[in-house]
């Protein structure tokens, strides 16, 4: 979708302290071969922080950085992958009350696996284009906890990290202009994350979720090459649509914000598919925080801007992918390098933030 007069006005993250991968190996929590294969350096691990609290911390900073008032926000989308701290509870409404106060806004959760923040960005872009609303807030927050999830051994080639991110989209102004968004899906691949697992009345939290087993069950019936072919086709289609709507070429992109996968998975599923160089991506930073559930792309863009790894005029592509499968891309042009205020006193939780 080609976008008109849509900007990213503010982004922020909340990141708890990170555990060195070598320490996790020494502690016997992470297999040495898996550590070598993923080439991760460290992974963020929350302690007492609940996901909604981390989301609130990031959202407050993003809103302050955006220059918007709370009552400018007409839409709040909270994307997440894992348990948010309480069942049968509207997490988005908690974030709404804590960050925006009591003014009316549409707030709801987006559950689209690791493509959550990108799906939310696409939804928000479409909503703002179709209404007189001025601004939208996208938040993410995820935290994995035992025994339900064994962080270091629950997946193949991916290690989840804890943290939150937030982005304010605006029709007025911002540091980056959104030129296009696109979303493509291929539900024939949904079984990769289901395997042979049956549907049950409820999840038993004492039984660890084993994505390794599910994926191996799927790959026992479907060749990895066939999965990879369809995956790359979906991603390439998504990227082509975003480039076409932005009226640019892939070679015009200066930096790519990619999911925080391990090195082998990133190479097979993203870099080889698009024939892009690792040095043009956010890999060097992503490998220090882990896969932030639904929030890699907002966090990655924020890192590029804060570290001045982009310049005014640069084109950046945000690449999202989630189980199911869906792919979402956004092309943005950096129009300003903002001097954001420091984190507000009391806006964070003990231990992290950027």
């Amino acid at each position: 979708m080609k976008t008109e007069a849509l900007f990213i006005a503010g982004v922020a993250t909340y990141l708890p302290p990170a555990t060195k991968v070598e320490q996790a190996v020494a502690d016997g929590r992470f297999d040495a071969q898996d550590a070598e294969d993923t080439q991760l350096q460290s992974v963020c691990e929350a302690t007492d922080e609940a996901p909604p609290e981390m989301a609130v911390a990031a959202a407050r900073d993003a809103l302050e950085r955006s220059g918007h008032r709370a009552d400018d926000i007409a839409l709040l989308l909270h994307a997440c992958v894992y348990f948010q701290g309480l069942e049968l509870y509207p997490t988005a409404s908690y974030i709404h009350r804590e960050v925006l106060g009591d003014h009316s806004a549409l707030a709801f959760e987006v559950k689209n696996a690791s493509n959550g923040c990108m799906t939310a960005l696409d939804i928000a872009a479409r909503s703002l284009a179709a209404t007189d609303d001025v601004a939208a807030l996208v938040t993410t927050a995820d935290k994995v906890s035992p025994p339900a999830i064994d962080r270091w051994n629950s997946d193949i080639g991916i290690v989840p990290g804890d943290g939150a991110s937030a982005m304010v989209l605006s029709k007025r102004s911002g540091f980056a202009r959104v030129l296009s968004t696109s979303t493509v899906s291929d539900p024939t691949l949904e079984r990769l994350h289901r395997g042979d697992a049956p549907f049950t009345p409820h999840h038993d939290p004492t039984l660890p979720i084993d994505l390794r087993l599910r994926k191996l069950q799927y790959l026992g019936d479907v060749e990895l090459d066939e999965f990879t072919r369809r995956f790359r086709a979906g991603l390439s289609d998504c990227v082509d649509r975003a480039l076409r709507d932005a009226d640019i070429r892939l070679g015009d992109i200066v930096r790519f914000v990619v999911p925080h996968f391990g090195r082998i998975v990133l190479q097979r599923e993203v870099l080889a598919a698009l024939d892009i160089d690792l040095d043009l991506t956010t890999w060097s930073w992503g490998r220090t925080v882990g896969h932030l559930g639904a929030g890699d792309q907002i966090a990655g863009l924020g890192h590029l801007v804060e570290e001045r790894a982009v310049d005014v005029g640069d084109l950046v592509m945000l690449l999202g992918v989630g189980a199911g499968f869906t792919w979402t891309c956004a092309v943005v042009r950096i129009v300003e390098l903002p001097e954001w205020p420091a984190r507000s006193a009391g806006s964070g939780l003990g231990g992290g933030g950027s």
Side-chain angles (χ1 to χ4, degrees), residues 39-52:
Q39 296 183 31
L40 300 177
Q41 292 183 345
S42 55
V43 176
C44 292
E45 294 194 89
T47 52
D48 296 334
E49 305 98 320

Side-chain angles (χ1 to χ4, degrees), residues 90-286:
T91 304
S93 293
Y94 173 82
I95 300 167
H96 179 177
R97 182 179 66 82
E98 289 290 320
V99 179
L100 305 180
D102 61 1
H103 90 273
S104 179
L106 176 60
F108 61 92
E109 290 183 37
V110 174
K111 302 286 284 187
N112 203 25
S114 301
N115 199 28
C117 79
M118 292 299 294
T119 303
L121 189 162
D122 197 9
I123 293 171
R126 295 170 189 273
S127 177
L128 291 174
T131 67
D132 293 329
D133 296 339
V134 173
L137 173 63
V138 173
T139 65
T140 78
D142 276 301
K143 173 184 179 180
V144 301
S145 302
I149 299 176
D150 179 350
R151 179 188 312 279
W152 302 94
N153 300 286
S154 64
D155 207 340
I156 301 174
I158 299 172
V159 179
D162 302 335
S165 68
M167 169 187 288
V168 175
L169 289 164
S170 172
K171 287 160 69 172
R172 291 178 181 168
S173 62
F175 70 88
R177 181 172 181 177
V178 182
L179 303 182
S180 67
T181 64
S182 66
T183 295
V184 170
S185 66
D186 184 353
T188 67
L189 303 179
E190 59 82 20
R191 190 174 157 241
L192 179 72
H193 288 78
R194 178 168 56 87
D196 296 335
F199 294 116
T200 59
H202 59 84
H203 173 65
D204 183 347
T206 66
L207 297 178
I209 296 172
D210 193 346
L211 288 180
R212 287 178 182 244
L213 176 60
R214 296 184 196 176
K215 289 182 176 181
L216 291 173
Q217 288 170 339
Y218 171 81
L219 293 172
D221 297 328
V222 178
E223 293 290 336
L224 178 60
D225 287 349
E226 173 59 16
F227 166 79
T228 301
R229 183 189 68 79
R230 294 193 69 94
F231 184 100
R232 291 179 177 179
L235 176 62
S236 297
D237 185 15
C238 186
V239 167
D240 288 345
R241 295 186 189 197
L243 292 172
R244 182 171 61 250
D245 287 343
D247 194 23
I248 62 172
R249 300 170 300 172
L250 188 67
D252 297 327
I253 301 295
V254 174
R255 297 302 296 265
F256 295 86
V257 180
V258 296
H260 301 170
F261 297 157
R263 183 67 177 84
I264 290 177
V265 175
L266 181 65
Q267 178 67 37
R268 181 180 67 237
E269 298 186 355
V270 179
L271 304 184
L274 302 177
D275 192 24
I276 57 177
D277 191 277
L278 182 69
D279 292 339
L280 298 181
T281 75
T282 47
W283 155 255
S284 62
W285 179 72

